[in-house]
Amino acid sequence: MSSPSMVEGPQALRALMAEIGPRWALDLRGNSQRVKDAYAPLLASAPKAGIAVARDLAYGTHARQVMDIFTPADAARAPVVVFVHGGAFVRGDKRASDEIYDNVLYWFARQGCVGVNLEYRLAPEAAYPDGTRDVAQAMAWLKMHVAQHGGDPARMLLVGHSAGGTHVASYAFAPMWAEGCHAQAVVLVSARLRADQLPGNPNAAGVKAYFGDDASLYEQRSPVSFAAHGTLPALIVTAEFENPLLDVYGLEFAHRMAAARGHAPRYLQMKGHNHMSIVAHFNGGEETLGREIMDFFSALAPAG
C-alpha cells in the first residue's frame, strides 16, 4: 500500500486515490486525513506567487463569521469565486490544514479571479437555517466590499463543498433566500442536498444537530425540495467514491432541476476522486474540475 511520503505528483496521487476509493466509505475520517496528508507536500510547493491574501475579514460579529480574500496582482473588476467548505455541519474550517482549503482559492486566483474562502457558524450552536443565513450575510458583505479587493460584485460564483454545498444550494434556490441572492451561479461539489437519518449515513449526527430532532421537517428543509425553484445556473459535481448517498442526492437535484426547466443542468462525475480529493487536488497540477468550473463561469451572460 502506498504511503503519503511516496506521493510525488498528480499521477501518483491519482493512483493513491484509486487505491483508497473502493474503501472510502469504510473509514471516512481516517481516509479523509490520509488524503489531506497525501496532498500536503504537493500543495506546499504549489504556485502561490503574486497572490495577496487578506485573512479573517469579518462579515459579522461571531468569531466564525470571517473570510479570507485572495487577490491576484493588478486585479480590477475581476470575477469572484467564493468557496464554502464542508464538515458535516458540526466541524470544519476554511483552513482545514496549512494548505487545504487555501489551495482552491489560490488556483482560482491564478486564473485571474478574486478568490474568497468563507467561514460560517457550526451546529449545534447555529442550527437550521443559520448556515444559509451566514452565506447570505457574507454575500451581501461581498456585494458591498469586494470591489475594494479587485473583484466585480456583479460576477460572483458561489461554490459549496459537502455541508457547505447544503448552505449554498439553500441560499441559491430556497424561496426565502433566492430573491436576494447575489451569486451569478453556483457549483455544488459533493454537496449534501438531502437531510436524512438513514442507517447508512455516517454523518447522521451532524444532520440532526443542524436540521433538528424532528425528522418530519427534513423534506421541506432539504435543498432537493427547492431544486425546481429559481433560474440560477448550477453545475453539479460528485466524486466517483462519495460519502454514502451524496451522489444519489446530486443526481436527484439535477433531475428535479431538469424536470422544472426542461433541460438538464451541467453535471460532472469526477472519476477516481473521493469526497475529499475532489477539492484537495486544486492547485496540485490536475485541472479537470477547475477548467470545467471556469468554462461554466466564463460562459455565463454578464449580469445586468
Side-chain angles (χ1 to χ4, degrees):
M1 182 177 293
S2 302
S3 65
S5 63
M6 296 173 61
V7 175
E8 297 178 352
Q11 287 188 337
L13 281 163
R14 281 195 292 271
L16 180 60
M17 296 310 106
E19 177 187 308
I20 293 173
R23 297 187 298 277
W24 171 258
L26 300 178
D27 181 10
L28 296 183
R29 298 289 289 274
N31 285 328
S32 181
Q33 189 60 53
R34 190 178 177 206
V35 171
K36 293 174 188 176
D37 292 343
Y39 274 93
L42 183 64
L43 296 179
S45 61
K48 302 179 179 72
I51 311 299
V53 184
R55 298 281 186 193
D56 295 323
L57 301 176
Y59 66 87
T61 58
H62 192 278
R64 289 186 61 93
Q65 291 176 320
V66 292
M67 64 179 75
D68 298 339
I69 299 184
F70 297 66
T71 305
D74 303 319
R77 306 292 288 186
V80 180
V81 176
V82 183
F83 178 77
V84 187
H85 67 81
F89 306 105
V90 295
R91 57 184 178 270
D93 295 282
K94 57 184 170 62
R95 299 194 75 195
S97 69
D98 288 343
E99 302 298 336
I100 299 171
Y101 300 96
D102 277 4
N103 64 306
V104 178
L105 291 314
Y106 273 121
W107 189 86
F108 282 108
R110 290 179 54 227
Q111 315 314 306
C113 300
V114 169
V116 180
N117 197 1
L118 183 64
E119 195 75 274
Y120 55 90
R121 293 171 296 160
L122 300 176
E125 177 188 2
Y128 177 90
D130 284 345
T132 304
R133 182 174 286 115
D134 283 2
V135 171
Q137 189 169 333
M139 292 298 288
W141 188 95
L142 286 165
K143 184 74 173 177
M144 294 180 61
H145 300 289
V146 77
Q148 300 169 20
H149 297 270
D152 183 352
R155 291 275 288 158
M156 294 198 289
L157 178 69
L158 186 54
V159 181
H161 174 240
S162 197
T166 308
H167 303 322
V168 165
S170 295
Y171 169 70
F173 295 100
M176 66 182 294
W177 305 104
E179 186 174 344
C181 178
H182 296 303
Q184 191 181 14
V186 297
V187 181
L188 306 175
V189 181
S190 295
R192 171 162 288 285
L193 298 171
R194 176 177 286 284
D196 73 66
Q197 286 288 297
L198 296 175
N201 179 2
N203 291 313
V207 168
K208 184 176 181 180
Y210 182 68
F211 285 98
D213 295 335
D214 188 353
S216 69
L217 298 175
Y218 288 2
E219 180 69 26
Q220 69 188 61
R221 293 180 172 183
S222 293
V224 291
S225 297
F226 315 135
H229 295 277
T231 59
L232 204 67
L235 166 60
I236 301 165
V237 185
T238 59
E240 180 179 4
F241 304 110
E242 265 300 352
N243 288 9
L245 293 176
L246 294 195
D247 49 354
V248 176
Y249 299 155
L251 288 171
E252 181 184 11
F253 194 92
H255 174 74
R256 291 193 182 198
M257 283 187 66
R261 300 183 185 190
H263 60 88
R266 199 155 172 168
Y267 173 84
L268 175 66
Q269 184 190 62
M270 287 293 288
K271 289 291 186 180
H273 277 289
N274 56 58
H275 186 76
M276 177 52 63
S277 69
I278 201 169
V279 286
H281 78 275
F282 274 89
N283 211 37
E286 182 187 351
E287 299 195 335
T288 299
L289 179 52
R291 293 299 171 197
E292 186 80 14
I293 292 173
M294 286 301 300
D295 182 68
F296 168 69
F297 195 14
S298 299
L300 299 174

